[in-house]
Each structure stands twice: as structure tokens, then as C-alpha cells.
Amino acid sequence: MAARQSGLGAALMPSHNGDGQEVHLARRLSDEFPASIRAEAQVVIQRQSIRRISSGELHDRPTLDLPVADAPTSAEAGQMAQAASVMQDAASYLTTPPAKVPEPHTLRVEQLVKILRTAVSDGNRCHEGCAGLDNMEVGRRLEAHGLNKLSPPKTPNKWVKLIKLTFGGILNMLLWFCVLAEVILCMWMKSEAPVTPLILSVVIIGTATLQWITELKAESSMEELRAMQVGEKVRVARIKPAFEGVATSQIVGIDSEGLVAGDVIFLTAGDKIPCDVRIIHCTDGTEVDNSALTGESLPEVREAEAESATLSLMEARNMAFFGTTLLKGSCTAIVVATGDRTFLGEVAASMQGPRPKSSLEIEIAHFIHLVACLAIGVGALVLVANLLSNTHREAQVVLENCATALFTQVPEGLLPTVTFSLMAASGEMFKRSVMVKKLDAIETLGCVRTFCSDKTGTLTTGSMTLMEVAVPKSDSNELEVLPLSEASSNGEAMNLCRAGALNNAAMHIDGTGLVGSPTEMAIFSGAASLLGGNSKIKDLRAKFNTVFEIPFNSENKWMLTLHPNEQEGAFACILKGATERILPHCTMDEAQKEEVYKALQRLMKQGHRVLCVAQRLVLPEEVPAGTAFAGSHFEDCNFPIDGLTFLGLFGIEDPPRPGVKEAVAKAEVAGIKVVMVTGDHPGTAQAIAYRLGITTSPTKNGDPESQELTVLEGSQLEMMVPPDGDFSVPLLDPEISRFWNTATSNTRVFARVSPLHKQIIVKAYQRSGYFCAMTGDGVNDAPALKQADVGIAMGVRGTDVAKDASDLVLLDDQFSSAMAGVEMGRLAAVNLQKSIMYTLCSKVPQVAPAFIELLGIPEALAAEHILLIDIGTDIWTAVAYAMQPAESSLMEKQPRHPRDEKLVNYRVFLYSYCYIGVLQTIFCWIMYFVATPDIHGLIQRHHALKAEDKMSPEDFQIQTHSMTVYYWTLVLGQVAAAICTTTTVQPVFGPGGYGLPNKMLNITLVLEITFSLVAMYTEFFQKTFRFASLPAYSIFLPVVALVSIVALEEARKRRAWCRCVG
């Protein structure tokens, strides 16, 4: 047996792969067994599975098949059996242990050690002896299971993405069809200058490239955010090579990415948990912050004992999870899962998958379908008009006119306008600390009607703060509740803060800052602000050092410390904890206790977490012999605790963020309902919601029988979750349907909710027709962020999983920044609508000449003129709308629902086609007849022309002049349209006028006029586009069109504006 143990110990020495391992095992066997047995063992090593196991060919424990030569003696047979057993253990050792241990919280430490083939020592503390893994084994496990890091979300190849942005989407396909048609016409007609398709191609490719670059920048920003969260060094036990046959381990610091399942690590207060670990030893009162996983802001106590199999992994007190933080105490733990196999990694993996189409994509598709039908109809009508016209045209010319008419109905400026509008909004949002990951999410944000927000870290600061203290009045039984800022002048409050600073597990470490649980740090920071800073508390603790301590635990719910007193041989005993546990041990009458409970209720109604502080003097004769204080409960302490003097109450909370209340009020005015969705206690959630204006009552009203349902808890939701969380299932229970209809209408706070509940809540709002935004920072928020129409993650507190699942990231974690994003989203949609309205205005006067020709009127606008307007001038003016500032009423309107109110609706078509477009057409024809000399004679001669006749040079010159007048009037009409569409209701000029604040738009209008004049008076453009040099009166007379259109629209808006204001 001794030989077997020695051999097994040799087999478990630092391992080597491949042939090196075989030689190592053979050498060890030669020291333990006779030559005959050694020979047989060496044959086994070379014949059997060690080599195959080390190369990954076998995964099961091998059965060794020792060769049989001469019949061995009984002694030799026994030794061969022992050698075979050694080989069995060695082979088992070489198989890779599991990368993740199932249900590790239910296993005893020795079971876990056996499964992971690791070692523990020193009563599971592992500070001495042989513990953990050796470097060779760690390398082998890293090779088999990979580094301890989350796999980044799958992103398409950037070049594939560029191709999709360039050629994908219904709008791009329509534009490319126009390009192809123009190219074919150019080739057929043997045109020397295919300018139009070339310019349009450049526009499409350039727009796609800009969007591509913008989204690449967002991805790069995400990578920078991840890089900022560099993994900390982790203290881990590593087995050193044996010295004189004794294996030991040393504690080393390594990067968290180098951890593997089976590693033994050491954590202290303030450490980030680097992977999923099973705690095997910890100090009393060890606490972790699980808010990133659960949303619960209060710390959770941890212990080392195995849990029941009926308890879920997330509820186990002996587990700590990747992404959380150790707040208090220290512990030794075994790594049970790394990287993608951690709980956080599994949630991240479940988030992979395509997002549904955004509202903008749906809107654009709807608009393009309408435009395509309209363009085809116009093209067909132009074909009929050309065939019925008196003017004889070649087939190629007829087809070109039809294609041009079709092409003019396509808003070729829409694509760059959409991109530039969203890019401009993205830039403005970035200035307000909102990073946009996907551009079209900006427009969707503007449609949001319900804003579901996490509480901790979003609506609140995310850090516990000492807000108020309640101390006894000197002249009565009442307690005085003081804000911390007013407590410095109160002696009782100062005594309370000194006691809170001494009875406190938090500590300030130079270079690191404050370390401890959130509650302890809140009291420490509050006391420091009153007592004169961290240095004063350090001096206080040095003078009255802690000689005995009973740490806080979930059973006692209090913490006790003993400190030397100024009286020789006496000690001050300070208790801090739950009021109901400490107050019974205080020397107070019932009236005094009643006053304490009144103050307690007052603080709790404000959402405070309340801690009671009391103290007493342990006299010299009450001190145990040798000052050997002992005990862990009230009952077993060897010194007196009863007869405490009540000092006061601490009111601690995670306070609302500055600016959130104003942002909530702004949201209400804008028609957005803000809903708090949190894993926190309903009382705390309701109190914060009331202070922020989310609810109108400070008390909970979540009775399921009530139609109010202002506050709902997760336990109530659990009974009303639809099958598989799907509201679209056939024959949904009417009771469930009624419950959620009422909840989505009335509920403003959802408390104690699980990650599944958050996702169900979002689905319920979407089912009710609401566009829903969801904010969150934790892993528990990721499914809801993915489900929401707009997912918004926190950039500071947020986990990578939450950021990857989101569309936007708040770089400052400010809710007010999200509201600013809503405004920018609305502005982007409004500007896009204005741009489309402007672009569509010119479509009626562009196509009208083709039909007027049926009346015998000569051609008034050539195809090249139309293309020059659309590509040469209108497209740039349309893009300039992206920089349009908001109208004063933008955030005073109800949000637009894409299903009920399309971005391009009938009002847009009526305004552009039937109002401004008709006005432009009327003025174009008026100027055509008034500003063109001898146009009437041309019309009469045109009537007399037969199909085979051609115009005289004089008539051709008159026609060119008339076409130039029509073109110039239309350009000025588009300038008027640009001014008119600057606002929807507010007047542009006069009292209360919007003005012309868009400098980019003003510049493009000046350039549009300049470019048109250059085109009309430059010989190259005259020959290419059939222009004539106009006399002065033909230039200035069409200005009447510009002024008249603007004046008519201003009069309409002024009347509408007066009605709104009045």
C-alpha cells in the first residue's frame, strides 16, 4: 500500500505532456518497483492510453491490459497490480477535468476537490501547505478550455458590412435601379457624358461609407470602454516543484484571464470577482454586491457551508459570481467556471441573435413602397403623354423621358439626408454623454412612449449615502431628525457619528480609497464629513482602537465593538444594527421607545435604510480576566451588554441623482411615462419614485384587487406570466390579459422583479402598442435590453453583457442624458420629415410639363434640367436639414407612434404635392408665359408643326429661353419651399418667429442660387443642359414666386400659431 501511495504521489507531481510525461512516469515507477515489474509497466506506458489521452484521443479512464509472459509469482502479481493502479490514476490525472462544475454549491469541499483534481490545505484556508494547481497543469487546462474572458459579440466583417450598407435595403436597391437604367440609356443613346448615374453612384457610396465609418467608431468606442475595464491581478495558490519530496504552494498575483477551473484564489474586500467561484472558507460577515446580477442594491452575506440541492445556484450563499464585488471580509475560493461558462457568460451568449427591424427601417420601407408605386405610375403616364404629343421624338428619347420622370419621383436625397440627420444627432448625443451604437436607434428613441428604468445607478447615484440622523432631544423624549448638513452643530449627532466611525468595518486605504460594504462606507463618509475628514477618523481609531469585535451577520443583525475608555480599565461597548434587535437592550421607557419607532417609520417612508446605534461602559470589574473578551451573541458574551444607552439612528439611502426629477417632469410633459423596474424592496422603490415624481403617492398600493396597481411586486407578476413568456399565444387567459392591460396603464413601479419579469414587462408594453425603452446596467437587465425597442446601457456601472445587448450607452449613467437623447431622436425624425417634404415639393412642377405638352405647349423642362435640380442642388439642401435646431414645441408634443402616424403620411403628401408643389407649378407657368419673349408666337407655330417637321433656330432659341425661365423659377420655388418647411407650425419671421438659425441650410440656399446662375450663364452648362442667358427682367421677375410662396405660407402659419398660443 505504501508503494502505491508513493507511486500515486509521483504520478501527481507537476505534469508534462506527450513523451515527457511517459518518461517521467517510467522514471518514478523504476524507483518504486523491481526491474521485472518496471519492464512490464514501461510496455504498458508505450502500448496503452497515456499517449492517446495526452493527445486527446481518449476521454474515458483506460483499462490497462498488462502483457502476460511467464506466470508471475504472487509477489510479482501484487506489485504488477499496484503498478497498474498507479498507471490508472496517472491516466485519470491526464484527462482534462470539467471546465465547469454543475451545482457546485451543493458539494462538500472534498467532493469539489476530487472533481476538479485540485488540492486544499490549512483547514481550507490554503495559506500554508500544498494547495491549488501547478503551472504545468494550469497550462494544460488553459489550452483545453481557453482564457478566462468573455467572447466578444459576433460582429460581421467590416467590409461585408460596407457592402450591405451600399447595396442592401429597399431604398438603395431603388436608387441602384435608377443608376442602372440611366447607364443603359447612356449606352443605348451613345451619350458621351453619363454624369447623372455617376453622381448618383457617388452619393450612394459616399452615404453608405459615412454611415459605415460612424458605426465603426461606435464599435471602436465600445472596445475602448472594455479596455478601460482592465482585469485586476488575482492572488492565486500555485504548487511549486517538490523540494526533498515535499510539495508546497506559493501565493502569486496573476492576470484574471489566466485562471482555470480548479484554481484556488484569495479575495479581500473591494476585489472584483474574476470568475464563478465556490467559497471554501471566509471570515464572519463576508458580503458581496450582487446588484450587477440581481438588481438588489443591498449586500448579500456569504458563508462556506454546502447548500441544499433544493436551493438554486443564484441563491446559494457559498457562491460568488463573475462581475460582482466582494464588499466586506475575505475568503478563499475554488474556481468552478471561467469565461463563457460563467453565469454572466451564459447570459451574454443568450443575447446573441439579430434584433428586430427598427421603426426607421419600417418607415423607410413604407415610404419607398409608396414612392415606387407613384414613380411607376408617373412614368407610365409620361410614356402616354410623349406618345400623344405633337412633338416627334425618337424611341430612345421617349424612353429617356419616361425613365427621367420615374427617376424624379425618387427622393435621391433621402439616403444621405437620413444618414446625415442621424450622424448629426449622434454627434450631439455624444456631447451629452450618450454613445450611439446603431444610428437608426436614434429615431426609434424619439418614438418612445414608455421609459422603463432601473433604479440603482440610473435614477439614483448607485452609492449608499448617509442622509439624515435622528438623535434624542435634551429637553424631551422626542427625537430630532437632522439632515447631515445640519448635524455638525448638534452635540448628540456628533457623538453618534463618533460611535459610527469606531463601530465600522470600512477603512480608508491610501492609493485605493474607501473599502467596505456600502452601508459601512456611507456611515464612514458621513462621519468623516462632520468630524473633519479621513485623517480625524484615523486618529480617533488610533486613540480608541478596537480590542474586540463581533462582526455583523444575518443572524444577529448587529455589529459590536469594544474600545478602551478614558476611565482606567474600562471599555466602551458600541452596538450598531437593526433597531428592533438593539432597542430592547437599551435603558428606555415605553414612551421613549415609541418616539424612536416614530422616527424610524419617518425615515423608512423616505426610502432610508435605518441603523440604530447604542453604547454602554464596561466597568473594570465587569471586564473578564486578562481582558479575554469572548462571545458571538447577546446570550454568550462574557461581558455585560444590557443597559445600553441609545445614541441615535442613521438614515442611509441610495439618493436620487441630481437632475433626474427635472428629467422625469420633462418626460411627462413630452407624453412619456417613466416606469421604475427594479429588483429592490418595494418600500424603498416607492419612496424614491415618489420623490422623483414617478408616482403621486408615497405609500405602496399594489393590491391585486385594486384597479390602481401603482406598485407591483415580482411575486404578483409571477402568477400572471403568460405561457413561455409569450403574449402572442392563442387563447391567452383573459385574466392574464386584463391584468397586464391594467398594469401597463397604471403601474409606475415594478419591485422585486427577476430578469424574466423585466423582459415580460417590456413585452407587455409592446403588446399594448407602446414603443418601449429600457435602461439597465447589470447582467439581469440584458434580456430586457435586447427585447426593448431601444435598449440603453450604463457606461460606468454597466457590465459588458448589458452594453452588448443595448443600442445606446449612457457614458455618464445619467437618466437626464437619456431624456436628452429622446429629444435628439424626435429632432432627427422631424428634420427627416422636413427634408422629405422639401424634396417632394418639386415633383409636381417637374412632371407637369410632360402632361401640358398634350395641350400643344412646347417642352418647358428637359430631363437634364430635372436631374440638375435633383442632383445638383436639392440633394445638398435636403442634407442640410440634418442640422436644423428644434422648434420650441418639440418636447411639448405627444410621441409619434410609427404605426398610427407615419413619418411620411398623407399630410406630407398633401403639403408637398397639393400645396407647395401646386403653388410652384402655378408660378413656373406664369413666369414661363410672362418672362419669355414671343412665347405666344412659338406656341402658335408649335401647333402648326407636323410630326415630321423640326423647329427653326429662332424657335429653338425661344424654347431654350422659356425652359431656362421655367428652370430658374422652379429653383427659386425650391428656395421658398426650403424656407417654408423650416418649421411645421411656428412662423419663420415676425414676432415669435423661428428665424433662419440653420447656417448650413442658409449656405446651401445661397449656393443653390449661385450654382443655378453659373449654370445658366456658363457656355459649358448652356451646351450640356440647354440653357440660355436670360435678360435682367427674366431673372428678377421670378423672384415674385419666391416671395409670394413664403408670404402665403407665413400667413397660414401665423393664423395657426395664434390659435395655438391663444
Side-chain angles (χ1 to χ4, degrees):
M1 187 65 180
R4 182 186 181 278
Q5 289 179 339
S6 179
L8 179 57
L12 294 180
M13 288 297 290
S15 59
H16 305 271
N17 288 330
D19 295 337
Q21 176 66 24
E22 297 172 10
V23 173
H24 173 72
L25 289 175
R27 184 181 302 116
R28 297 302 303 175
L29 285 170
S30 69
D31 295 338
E32 305 295 339
F33 301 100
S36 59
I37 301 302
R38 183 178 69 238
E40 300 293 349
Q42 287 175 334
V43 171
V44 170
I45 291 172
Q46 295 181 4
R47 282 182 49 192
Q48 276 285 359
S49 57
I50 298 300
R51 180 187 298 277
R52 295 163 64 193
I53 290 172
S54 65
S55 64
E57 295 176 30
L58 289 182
H59 303 284
D60 298 327
R61 185 181 177 95
T63 301
L64 298 183
D65 182 18
L66 291 175
V68 180
D70 298 330
T73 65
S74 58
E76 290 175 334
Q79 289 181 322
M80 288 176 67
Q82 291 174 0
S85 179
V86 171
M87 294 303 300
Q88 290 275 20
D89 287 321
S92 176
Y93 176 71
L94 285 178
T95 58
T96 306
K100 178 180 179 180
V101 180
E103 306 298 327
H105 63 296
T106 65
L107 302 175
R108 298 191 307 276
V109 175
E110 54 268 25
Q111 292 175 309
L112 189 62
V113 167
K114 185 174 181 180
I115 291 172
L116 290 172
R117 298 176 206 152
T118 186
V120 296
S121 62
D122 190 24
N124 295 340
R125 291 178 177 82
C126 301
H127 289 286
E128 297 178 357
C130 182
L133 304 170
D134 61 71
N135 288 327
M136 289 293 182
E137 177 62 13
V138 169
R140 194 164 63 84
R141 297 189 186 192
L142 282 173
E143 185 177 356
H145 301 144
L147 294 173
N148 175 39
K149 63 179 182 179
L150 297 181
S151 299
K154 294 180 180 178
T155 55
N157 180 278
K158 61 180 181 180
W159 302 113
V160 173
K161 188 173 185 178
L162 177 59
I163 292 172
K164 286 183 177 180
L165 288 172
T166 305
F167 298 99
I170 187 169
L171 177 58
N172 276 2
M173 287 189 283
L174 184 61
L175 293 175
W176 281 119
F177 171 77
C178 293
V179 170
L180 181 62
E182 289 290 336
V183 170
I184 292 173
L185 286 172
C186 288
M187 294 175 62
W188 187 14
M189 300 180 66
K190 298 181 181 179
S191 173
E192 296 181 359
V195 177
T196 300
L198 181 61
I199 292 176
L200 186 56
S201 299
V202 170
V203 169
I204 299 171
I205 295 171
T207 302
T209 303
L210 284 173
Q211 183 177 351
W212 177 67
I213 292 172
T214 302
E215 294 192 2
L216 284 184
K217 285 182 178 179
E219 292 177 8
S220 176
S221 298
M222 284 295 296
E223 291 299 326
E224 290 175 5
L225 281 176
R226 293 192 185 98
M228 289 170 63
Q229 298 174 347
V230 180
E232 301 173 351
K233 293 286 185 181
V234 181
R235 296 166 62 237
V236 59
R238 287 279 188 261
I239 297 177
K240 298 188 295 184
F243 178 73
E244 295 183 353
V246 179
T248 59
S249 62
Q250 61 180 352
I251 299 175
V252 297
I254 67 168
D255 291 331
S256 59
E257 290 185 355
L259 294 174
V260 297
D263 262 329
V264 175
I265 66 173
F266 307 93
L267 301 169
T268 56
D271 287 347
K272 296 284 186 183
I273 310 300
C275 49
D276 288 358
V277 298
R278 162 66 197 280
I279 296 171
I280 60 174
H281 180 270
C282 64
T283 57
D284 290 339
T286 296
E287 294 179 349
V288 296
D289 175 11
N290 266 359
S291 59
L293 298 182
T294 64
E296 173 61 68
S297 60
L298 294 179
E300 298 181 16
V301 176
R302 284 298 176 258
E303 55 190 29
E305 298 301 319
E307 296 279 16
S308 168
T310 60
L311 198 67
S312 70
L313 183 67
M314 286 300 297
E315 295 175 315
R317 292 192 171 191
N318 57 13
M319 293 294 300
F321 298 96
F322 183 26
T324 62
T325 305
L326 187 69
L327 295 177
K328 180 181 176 183
S330 61
C331 68
T332 304
I334 296 179
V335 176
V336 295
T338 59
D340 292 336
R341 301 172 188 86
T342 60
F343 176 79
L344 188 148
E346 289 177 347
V347 173
S350 70
M351 294 298 100
Q352 301 295 332
R355 294 189 71 92
K357 284 187 176 181
S358 67
S359 62
L360 182 60
E361 290 174 306
I362 297 172
E363 291 270 18
I364 294 298
H366 170 262
F367 175 53
I368 293 305
H369 283 129
L370 292 177
V371 168
C373 293
L374 180 64
I376 292 171
V378 169
L381 291 175
V382 169
L383 174 62
V384 173
N386 273 260
L387 294 176
L388 297 178
S389 173
N390 288 340
T391 303
H392 172 72
R393 292 183 175 90
E394 299 287 340
Q396 299 97 313
V397 177
V398 172
L399 288 177
E400 182 185 18
N401 288 345
C402 294
T404 302
L406 185 150
F407 179 72
T408 56
Q409 298 306 308
V410 177
E412 54 284 315
L414 178 62
L415 185 63
T417 300
V418 170
T419 303
F420 274 96
S421 293
L422 298 182
M423 285 177 61
S426 175
E428 288 298 317
M429 290 171 75
F430 191 81
K431 292 177 184 177
R432 304 184 190 192
S433 299
V434 182
M435 187 182 74
V436 180
K437 291 175 57 185
K438 200 167 184 291
L439 283 178
D440 52 10
I442 298 172
E443 191 275 338
T444 307
L445 185 61
C447 299
V448 164
R449 190 177 292 270
T450 302
F451 212 107
C452 296
S453 178
D454 189 27
K455 178 184 76 71
T456 305
T458 307
L459 300 176
T460 63
T461 61
S463 60
M464 300 298 286
T465 306
L466 179 58
M467 303 298 294
E468 294 179 306
V469 294
V471 293
K473 289 184 177 180
S474 57
D475 55 352
S476 69
N477 290 336
E478 296 180 358
L479 265 67
E480 185 177 9
V481 179
L482 299 170
L484 189 65
S485 58
E486 300 175 11
S488 59
S489 60
N490 186 291
E492 296 292 336
M494 296 297 286
N495 287 334
L496 175 66
C497 287
R498 290 189 189 94
L502 291 173
N503 182 287
N504 198 307
M507 62 181 66
H508 188 275
I509 302 174
D510 294 338
T512 302
L514 202 56
V515 176
S517 72
T519 303
E520 299 283 47
M521 290 193 295
I523 295 174
F524 185 103
S525 298
S529 67
L530 293 183
L531 300 177
N534 297 327
S535 60
K536 294 295 183 181
I537 292 183
K538 185 177 180 180
D539 295 340
L540 182 69
R541 288 181 169 183
K543 182 177 180 181
F544 303 104
N545 63 298
T546 302
V547 297
F548 179 74
E549 176 181 348
I550 301 177
F552 178 90
N553 61 60
S554 57
E555 183 179 355
N556 287 341
K557 293 189 176 180
W558 49 261
M559 175 183 179
L560 178 148
T561 55
L562 285 170
H563 309 271
N565 187 261
E566 294 177 349
Q567 180 181 343
E568 185 68 27
F571 292 86
C573 174
I574 304 175
L575 271 83
K576 178 179 87 264
T579 306
E580 67 273 14
R581 295 295 182 92
I582 294 178
L583 209 58
H585 299 273
C586 293
T587 54
M588 304 176 72
D589 57 33
E590 291 303 318
Q592 291 173 319
K593 289 182 180 180
E594 184 65 27
E595 291 299 325
V596 173
Y597 282 116
K598 284 182 181 179
L600 173 66
Q601 291 301 317
R602 173 180 170 181
L603 293 172
M604 291 182 66
K605 282 183 179 180
Q606 298 177 46
H608 293 337
R609 185 186 184 192
V610 182
L611 291 180
C612 176
V613 182
Q615 72 174 9
R616 69 155 288 170
L617 187 65
V618 180
L619 299 173
E621 58 269 21
E622 297 173 326
V623 175
T627 63
F629 296 102
S632 58
H633 300 84
F634 277 121
E635 297 79 13
D636 64 359
C637 287
N638 62 355
F639 54 93
I641 297 180
D642 285 334
L644 296 168
T645 299
F646 174 78
L647 294 182
L649 303 175
F650 285 125
I652 304 164
E653 71 169 0
D654 179 10
R657 278 185 177 274
V660 172
K661 186 174 183 179
E662 293 76 9
V664 171
K666 186 177 182 180
E668 292 290 339
V669 173
I672 300 171
K673 180 166 67 174
V674 179
V675 178
M676 181 188 292
V677 183
T678 179
D680 218 337
H681 189 277
T684 303
Q686 170 70 349
I688 295 295
Y690 174 69
R691 289 164 60 186
L692 293 175
I694 296 174
T695 62
T696 56
S697 172
T699 59
K700 179 179 176 293
N701 184 15
D703 184 354
E705 299 297 324
S706 170
Q707 292 302 307
E708 295 289 332
L709 294 177
T710 306
V711 180
L712 283 175
E713 296 184 41
S715 57
Q716 296 169 283
L717 302 183
E718 191 64 41
M719 299 182 292
M720 294 296 175
V721 173
D724 299 322
D726 187 3
F727 284 99
S728 62
V729 296
L731 303 176
L732 181 65
D733 188 335
E735 185 180 357
I736 293 177
S737 182
R738 284 193 300 271
F739 172 84
W740 284 107
N741 287 339
T742 306
T744 53
S745 297
N746 299 335
T747 302
R748 303 304 293 268
V749 176
F750 294 92
R752 290 292 192 197
V753 295
S754 69
L756 173 62
H757 294 152
K758 290 189 176 185
Q759 193 173 16
I760 295 297
I761 290 166
V762 172
K763 287 182 178 180
Y765 279 111
Q766 291 172 331
R767 168 181 174 266
S768 300
Y770 294 89
F771 260 63
C772 185
M774 176 73 190
T775 68
D777 56 5
V779 176
N780 61 315
D781 299 321
L785 291 173
K786 187 79 170 182
Q787 178 67 42
D789 297 292
V790 182
I792 306 173
M794 303 296 109
V796 179
R797 289 172 49 90
T799 61
D800 286 344
V801 175
K803 293 172 188 174
D804 291 335
S806 67
D807 302 295
L808 309 174
V809 178
L810 300 183
L811 300 177
D812 58 359
D813 289 5
Q814 294 276 6
F815 180 78
S816 55
S817 297
M819 284 296 103
V822 171
E823 184 173 2
M824 295 307 303
R826 290 190 179 188
L827 179 60
V830 169
N831 286 346
L832 183 56
Q833 187 181 61
K834 290 177 180 178
S835 175
I836 292 172
M837 289 168 63
Y838 163 78
T839 303
L840 294 180
C841 285
S842 65
K843 302 309 176 186
V844 173
Q846 284 178 355
V847 77
F851 299 105
I852 296 297
E853 281 193 62
L854 295 175
L855 302 177
I857 304 298
E859 183 180 18
L861 196 67
E864 48 266 38
H865 297 151
I866 295 174
L867 298 176
L868 189 62
I869 290 173
D870 287 349
I871 300 296
T873 55
D874 274 7
I875 190 171
W876 312 115
T877 306
V879 167
Y881 278 88
M883 306 304 295
Q884 194 78 5
E887 292 184 53
S888 59
S889 60
L890 186 60
M891 288 298 285
E892 298 173 7
K893 299 178 180 179
Q894 294 294 307
R896 180 182 63 86
H897 196 297
R899 184 183 62 193
D900 302 327
E901 185 182 354
K902 299 293 184 184
L903 189 65
V904 183
N905 50 42
Y906 74 93
R907 288 191 294 271
V908 171
F909 283 105
L910 285 176
Y911 183 88
S912 298
Y913 281 94
C914 302
Y915 177 41
I916 300 296
V918 169
L919 288 177
Q920 287 181 342
T921 304
I922 292 172
F923 280 107
C924 282
W925 284 113
I926 290 174
M927 297 304 155
Y928 177 85
F929 288 107
V930 173
T932 305
D934 200 24
I935 186 64
H936 300 285
L938 174 64
I939 293 173
Q940 293 175 354
R941 291 189 294 273
H942 184 70
H943 274 290
L945 288 175
K946 297 181 180 180
E948 63 274 8
D949 294 338
K950 293 184 178 180
M951 279 188 179
S952 65
E954 293 77 12
D955 285 347
F956 182 80
Q957 180 62 33
I958 295 173
Q959 185 188 28
T960 304
H961 187 114
S962 67
M963 293 168 67
T964 307
V965 169
Y966 195 101
Y967 164 82
W968 172 239
T969 306
L970 181 52
V971 168
L972 294 177
Q974 278 299 89
V975 173
I979 296 172
C980 293
T981 54
T982 295
T983 62
T984 53
V985 177
Q986 188 177 356
V988 177
F989 304 107
Y994 176 78
L996 297 173
N998 188 347
K999 293 181 180 179
M1000 185 175 179
L1001 179 62
N1002 299 339
I1003 292 172
T1004 57
L1005 292 179
V1006 172
L1007 292 177
E1008 183 173 346
I1009 294 173
T1010 303
F1011 175 78
S1012 299
L1013 291 172
V1014 170
M1016 290 188 296
Y1017 288 94
T1018 303
E1019 183 178 356
F1020 170 78
F1021 284 100
Q1022 287 179 343
K1023 291 180 178 179
T1024 304
F1025 293 97
R1026 294 166 60 189
F1027 281 135
S1029 298
L1030 297 180
Y1033 77 93
S1034 295
I1035 289 293
F1036 290 106
L1037 191 57
V1039 175
V1040 173
L1042 187 159
V1043 175
S1044 300
I1045 293 173
V1046 171
L1048 287 171
E1049 176 63 356
E1050 279 292 290
R1052 183 192 70 83
K1053 286 179 179 176
R1054 179 63 61 183
R1055 287 194 298 271
W1057 180 256
C1058 290
R1059 285 196 299 270
C1060 291
V1061 174

